[in-house]
């Protein structure tokens, strides 16, 4: 995507595009042979990439909804990408891909629906402390990092 196309993206398109990219790569992970991807100072696997994308979407969705409701945001207690769990090391099967498509697809739609319902004022001058909601969406777009760390295994 060119810089012009990126700048013309709506916040909803930034999030849904990130999920689409993740799921495109995930479709190639059925070929994963168990080799760990070492990127920066972390280890990534197909399951870990899906977990991190989902956790990131949930975390910031909870933040946005709390701020819209005038509530304090809850601190997260994710272990994030510092930890590789036993479940992260499991083979990535067609059933796992189907689950990821359902989970991430639904989260992307929730985000898109919420972001599309906000006014430009709400997107750019969001209540509470932290990034604006437009900035949150652009931040989430960076979650492609997790999928890109595993890469295209076709």
């Amino acid at each position: 995507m060119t810089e012009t196309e990126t700048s013309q993206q709506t916040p909803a398109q930034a999030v849904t595009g990130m999920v689409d990219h993740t799921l495109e790569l995930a479709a190639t992970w059925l070929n994963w042979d168990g080799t760990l991807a070492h990127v920066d100072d972390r280890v990534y696997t197909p399951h870990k990439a899906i977990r991190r994308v989902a956790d990131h979407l949930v975390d910031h969705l909870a933040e946005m909804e709390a701020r819209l409701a005038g509530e304090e945001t809850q601190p997260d207690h994710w272990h994030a990408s510092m930890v590789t769990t036993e479940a992260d090391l499991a083979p990535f099967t067609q059933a796992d891909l189907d689950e990821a498509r359902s989970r991430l697809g639904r989260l992307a739609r929730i985000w898109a629906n919420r972001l599309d319902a906000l006014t430009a004022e709400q997107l750019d001058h969001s209540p509470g402390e932290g990034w604006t909601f437009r900035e949150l969406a652009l931040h989430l777009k960076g979650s492609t990092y997790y999928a890109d760390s595993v890469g295209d295994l076709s």
Side-chain angles (χ1 to χ4, degrees), residues 41-44 48 51-52 78-84:
D41 63 342
R42 305 289 162 92
V43 171
Y44 292 95
K48 186 174 184 176
R51 172 173 63 84
R52 290 304 308 132
W78 304 119
H79 293 289
S81 58
M82 294 184 329
V83 171
T84 302

Short mmCIF file of all heavy atoms in Angstrom, two decimals, residues 41-44 48 51-52 78-84:
data_model
loop_
_atom_site.label_atom_id
_atom_site.label_comp_id
_atom_site.label_asym_id
_atom_site.label_seq_id
_atom_site.Cartn_x
_atom_site.Cartn_y
_atom_site.Cartn_z
N ASP A 41 14.26 -9.48 19.95
CA ASP A 41 14.67 -10.29 21.10
C ASP A 41 13.56 -11.26 21.52
O ASP A 41 13.53 -11.70 22.66
CB ASP A 41 15.07 -9.38 22.27
CG ASP A 41 13.91 -8.53 22.77
OD1 ASP A 41 12.91 -8.37 22.02
OD2 ASP A 41 13.99 -8.01 23.90
N ARG A 42 12.66 -11.60 20.59
CA ARG A 42 11.51 -12.45 20.91
C ARG A 42 11.46 -13.67 19.99
O ARG A 42 12.14 -13.75 18.98
CB ARG A 42 10.20 -11.65 20.74
CG ARG A 42 10.14 -10.36 21.53
CD ARG A 42 10.00 -10.62 23.02
NE ARG A 42 10.33 -9.49 23.85
CZ ARG A 42 9.49 -8.58 24.29
NH1 ARG A 42 8.22 -8.60 23.95
NH2 ARG A 42 9.90 -7.61 25.08
N VAL A 43 10.58 -14.59 20.35
CA VAL A 43 10.32 -15.79 19.56
C VAL A 43 8.86 -15.75 19.15
O VAL A 43 7.98 -15.38 19.95
CB VAL A 43 10.59 -17.06 20.42
CG1 VAL A 43 10.11 -18.31 19.71
CG2 VAL A 43 12.06 -17.16 20.76
N TYR A 44 8.59 -16.11 17.89
CA TYR A 44 7.21 -16.10 17.39
C TYR A 44 6.88 -17.43 16.74
O TYR A 44 7.74 -18.10 16.16
CB TYR A 44 7.00 -14.95 16.39
CG TYR A 44 7.08 -13.62 17.08
CD1 TYR A 44 8.27 -12.91 17.12
CD2 TYR A 44 5.99 -13.12 17.77
CE1 TYR A 44 8.37 -11.71 17.79
CE2 TYR A 44 6.08 -11.92 18.45
CZ TYR A 44 7.27 -11.23 18.46
OH TYR A 44 7.35 -10.05 19.15
N LYS A 48 1.23 -17.86 18.54
CA LYS A 48 1.61 -16.67 19.29
C LYS A 48 1.24 -15.41 18.52
O LYS A 48 0.75 -14.43 19.10
CB LYS A 48 3.09 -16.68 19.62
CG LYS A 48 3.53 -15.55 20.53
CD LYS A 48 4.99 -15.75 20.91
CE LYS A 48 5.47 -14.72 21.90
NZ LYS A 48 6.85 -14.99 22.32
N ARG A 51 -2.47 -14.96 18.85
CA ARG A 51 -2.77 -14.56 20.24
C ARG A 51 -2.44 -13.09 20.44
O ARG A 51 -3.23 -12.33 21.02
CB ARG A 51 -1.96 -15.43 21.21
CG ARG A 51 -2.04 -14.99 22.66
CD ARG A 51 -1.36 -15.97 23.62
NE ARG A 51 0.06 -16.14 23.44
CZ ARG A 51 1.01 -15.35 23.96
NH1 ARG A 51 0.66 -14.27 24.67
NH2 ARG A 51 2.29 -15.60 23.77
N ARG A 52 -1.29 -12.66 19.97
CA ARG A 52 -0.88 -11.26 20.18
C ARG A 52 -1.78 -10.29 19.42
O ARG A 52 -2.13 -9.23 19.94
CB ARG A 52 0.58 -11.07 19.76
CG ARG A 52 1.58 -11.74 20.68
CD ARG A 52 1.44 -11.28 22.14
NE ARG A 52 1.47 -9.84 22.21
CZ ARG A 52 0.58 -9.08 22.90
NH1 ARG A 52 -0.40 -9.65 23.59
NH2 ARG A 52 0.69 -7.78 22.89
N TRP A 78 -1.31 -8.72 30.46
CA TRP A 78 -0.81 -9.63 29.43
C TRP A 78 0.68 -9.90 29.68
O TRP A 78 1.42 -9.03 30.11
CB TRP A 78 -0.93 -9.02 28.03
CG TRP A 78 -2.27 -8.56 27.58
CD1 TRP A 78 -2.59 -7.28 27.25
CD2 TRP A 78 -3.44 -9.32 27.36
NE1 TRP A 78 -3.89 -7.21 26.84
CE2 TRP A 78 -4.45 -8.44 26.91
CE3 TRP A 78 -3.76 -10.67 27.53
CZ2 TRP A 78 -5.73 -8.87 26.58
CZ3 TRP A 78 -5.05 -11.09 27.21
CH2 TRP A 78 -6.01 -10.20 26.75
N HIS A 79 1.08 -11.07 29.32
CA HIS A 79 2.51 -11.36 29.29
C HIS A 79 3.09 -10.95 27.95
O HIS A 79 4.30 -10.95 27.77
CB HIS A 79 2.76 -12.85 29.55
CG HIS A 79 2.40 -13.26 30.94
ND1 HIS A 79 3.13 -12.88 32.05
CD2 HIS A 79 1.39 -14.01 31.41
CE1 HIS A 79 2.58 -13.37 33.13
NE2 HIS A 79 1.52 -14.07 32.78
N ALA A 80 2.20 -10.63 27.04
CA ALA A 80 2.55 -10.11 25.71
C ALA A 80 3.48 -11.07 24.98
O ALA A 80 3.37 -12.27 25.12
CB ALA A 80 3.12 -8.71 25.83
N SER A 81 4.38 -10.50 24.21
CA SER A 81 5.25 -11.36 23.40
C SER A 81 6.51 -11.79 24.14
O SER A 81 7.32 -12.53 23.59
CB SER A 81 5.60 -10.66 22.09
OG SER A 81 6.24 -9.44 22.34
N MET A 82 6.66 -11.36 25.38
CA MET A 82 7.82 -11.79 26.17
C MET A 82 7.74 -13.27 26.49
O MET A 82 8.76 -13.92 26.68
CB MET A 82 7.91 -10.99 27.48
CG MET A 82 8.19 -9.53 27.26
SD MET A 82 8.41 -8.56 28.78
CE MET A 82 7.37 -9.36 29.98
N VAL A 83 6.52 -13.80 26.56
CA VAL A 83 6.31 -15.19 26.96
C VAL A 83 5.83 -16.00 25.76
O VAL A 83 4.97 -15.56 25.01
CB VAL A 83 5.27 -15.25 28.10
CG1 VAL A 83 4.86 -16.67 28.40
CG2 VAL A 83 5.80 -14.57 29.34
N THR A 84 6.41 -17.18 25.62
CA THR A 84 5.93 -18.15 24.64
C THR A 84 5.33 -19.29 25.45
O THR A 84 6.03 -19.95 26.22
CB THR A 84 7.08 -18.64 23.74
OG1 THR A 84 7.67 -17.51 23.10
CG2 THR A 84 6.56 -19.61 22.69
#
